[in-house]
Amino acid sequence: MEKSLEPIVKVLQEKFGATFEEFRGEVQCMVKPEHIIEALTILRDAHHFELLSMLSAIDYFPQTSPRFHVIYQLNSLEKNLTLQLRVPVEGESPKLPTSTGVFKTGLWREREIFDMFGIEFEGHPDPRRILNPDELEGHPLRRDFPLGYEEPQFSFNYEEIDLGKPYAKE
Amino acid sequence: MGVEQKLGNMGVVTTTLEDVVNWSRTNAMWPMLFGLACCAIEMMAAQASSYDMSRFGMELMRASPRQSDLMIVAGRVSKKMGPVLRRLYDQMPEPKWVIAMGDCASCGGVFNNYAIYQGVDEIVPVDVFVAGCPPRPEALIHGVLTLHEKVKADRFIANAADKK
Ligand code: SF4
């Protein structure tokens, strides 16, 4: 771990009971959902992490507890540091507090996570889908979302599929 | 003084109105750009000097639907692009034709998923499908010539009479 990152991780450990993992010099801190906003605020204000460069999520599907991890990647431009915060969230329709009050970047990133994973961010000012059309049912990057969409048409099932296909009118 | 005196001895050609109209339709068919993905690169190549689609009267790719007769849908159509495509198609003046270029536009291609229309024929009526991923410029030109055959065979006066 970078020398200058050590005291910062220590602060997170003491204040929020965060555990940390290191892989090839990258540091990930596990933070509980109820602490994430405070942790982000402290990192921004006291430790020069002024950029939320990535906000993403992972689905560990058959596993339900926690089913998702939400990942906040913070950069400090001043000190040239990177730190990841991971927040495990539970269950089918998980909720997290919004980070838009701390980092404006959250506005679009959280909409994307809601769109693709169905994780709701409470307090988000504009919680709509951002990539998919509004009518879409489900959240495509969830692992239980069906992979294929339409059954491929071969000679043996040509007519069956042809009948169900919504052809355009003039 | 008739026009013959100026032009010399002109022959007379007799033909049907349908043939003349169809001939003029095929020889100045202006396509509308609808490059959506990788196939668009081949469409550009078909326009450029090596393949030169202007040999068939198609030198003008229009960016405006109101000036074009043919829509070449080159690439995959996402669920969000579909309504846009339909709207542009509706803005094209009649008569109008559509070529679905490439596997994606024809049937979804390798993108069998929630985000892509499984064939642009779900949104607009398609006249010619060009297979390939991507089709070579020759294949696109072949598709265009196939469409020309179709237009030349169009007996629109007879069809209109039938409808009545
Ligand atoms: S058919 Fe192939 S080349 Fe054309 S848009 Fe699809 S993936 Fe790209």
Side-chain angles (χ1 to χ4, degrees):
Chain A
M1 198 193 308
E2 290 255 352
K3 275 258 152 42
S4 41
L5 214 50
E6 274 163 24
I8 301 171
V9 172
K10 201 154 210 175
V11 169
L12 291 178
Q13 272 175 318
E14 280 166 8
K15 259 199 124 108
F16 308 115
T19 53
F20 80 93
E21 269 173 41
E22 197 184 340
F23 181 70
R24 293 189 179 160
E26 284 202 355
V27 184
Q28 303 180 338
C29 287
M30 292 292 233
V31 182
K32 292 208 183 73
E34 56 268 30
H35 295 143
I36 180 65
I37 299 306
E38 210 185 332
L40 288 174
T41 316
I42 288 177
L43 287 173
R44 182 191 67 180
D45 294 341
H47 301 284
H48 299 279
F49 282 96
E50 56 281 273
L51 177 66
L52 175 65
S53 62
M54 188 201 67
L55 178 48
S56 179
I58 299 181
D59 184 4
Y60 291 102
F61 169 48
Q63 179 184 321
T64 49
S65 166
R67 175 160 171 186
F68 299 96
H69 278 181
V70 178
I71 300 154
Y72 298 76
Q73 177 155 345
L74 297 166
N75 282 81
S76 166
L77 302 180
E78 193 173 313
K79 298 188 187 163
N80 192 19
L81 289 177
T82 306
L83 179 66
Q84 282 189 2
L85 300 185
R86 272 179 177 246
V87 183
V89 282
E90 308 271 327
E92 275 298 302
S93 46
K95 291 194 171 78
L96 264 185
T98 177
S99 67
T100 47
V102 193
F103 293 104
K104 277 267 159 48
T105 340
L107 284 171
W108 279 11
R109 304 284 163 133
E110 287 179 359
R111 275 176 70 186
E112 186 180 350
I113 294 184
F114 166 68
D115 192 358
M116 302 311 266
F117 289 95
I119 298 172
E120 263 179 62
F121 289 89
E122 287 173 316
H124 190 286
D126 186 20
R128 286 179 295 144
R129 285 184 184 273
I130 189 170
L131 298 173
N132 288 300
D134 292 335
E135 321 69 80
L136 185 81
E137 275 173 33
H139 301 281
L141 279 188
R142 285 192 173 197
R143 279 200 175 168
D144 49 0
F145 191 85
L147 256 188
Y149 176 67
E150 199 183 68
E151 199 185 340
Q153 200 172 20
F154 295 107
S155 45
F156 76 90
N157 59 1
Y158 184 89
E159 281 184 0
E160 186 189 323
I161 288 181
D162 205 41
L163 284 177
K165 214 167 151 70
Y167 286 116
K169 311 218 168 43
E170 280 291 332
Chain B
M1 192 170 74
V3 73
E4 300 88 352
Q5 274 170 320
K6 289 217 158 148
L7 295 176
N9 194 10
M10 279 204 309
V12 174
V13 180
T14 57
T15 178
T16 63
L17 178 64
E18 282 170 335
D19 282 338
V20 176
V21 170
N22 286 342
W23 172 73
S24 58
R25 280 178 179 173
T26 51
N27 281 293
M29 199 180 255
W30 288 357
M32 186 176 81
L33 294 162
F34 219 103
L36 293 172
C38 6
C39 273
I41 305 295
E42 300 297 303
M43 180 172 71
M44 293 170 210
Q47 279 283 306
S49 48
S50 307
Y51 294 96
D52 197 8
M53 229 162 41
S54 58
R55 287 175 293 160
F56 308 103
M58 315 187 58
E59 61 269 49
L60 275 176
M61 281 274 187
R62 304 311 290 185
S64 154
R66 293 176 198 275
Q67 300 167 348
S68 45
D69 315 289
L70 168 65
M71 182 189 256
I72 301 180
V73 185
R76 59 195 99 94
V77 186
S78 68
K79 285 271 151 86
K80 272 194 153 172
M81 198 62 187
V84 181
L85 189 133
R86 178 71 213 194
R87 187 168 174 169
L88 289 176
Y89 176 81
D90 287 339
Q91 288 182 0
M92 284 164 63
E94 295 270 1
K96 52 193 169 186
W97 297 277
V98 178
I99 292 182
M101 177 183 183
D103 290 350
C104 288
S106 304
C107 66
V110 291
F111 302 101
N112 187 3
N113 64 29
Y114 63 93
I116 303 290
Y117 273 106
Q118 303 300 302
V120 69
D121 52 349
E122 291 185 12
I123 322 166
V124 292
V126 176
D127 294 283
V128 175
F129 296 92
V130 182
C133 177
R136 287 187 56 91
E138 294 97 322
L140 178 61
I141 291 174
H142 179 74
V144 166
L145 292 182
T146 313
L147 179 65
H148 284 185
E149 296 295 311
K150 179 176 173 176
V151 173
K152 278 182 192 152
D154 184 14
R155 301 268 77 97
F156 54 88
I157 295 179
N159 289 350
D162 278 355
K163 268 187 200 150
K164 278 178 194 164

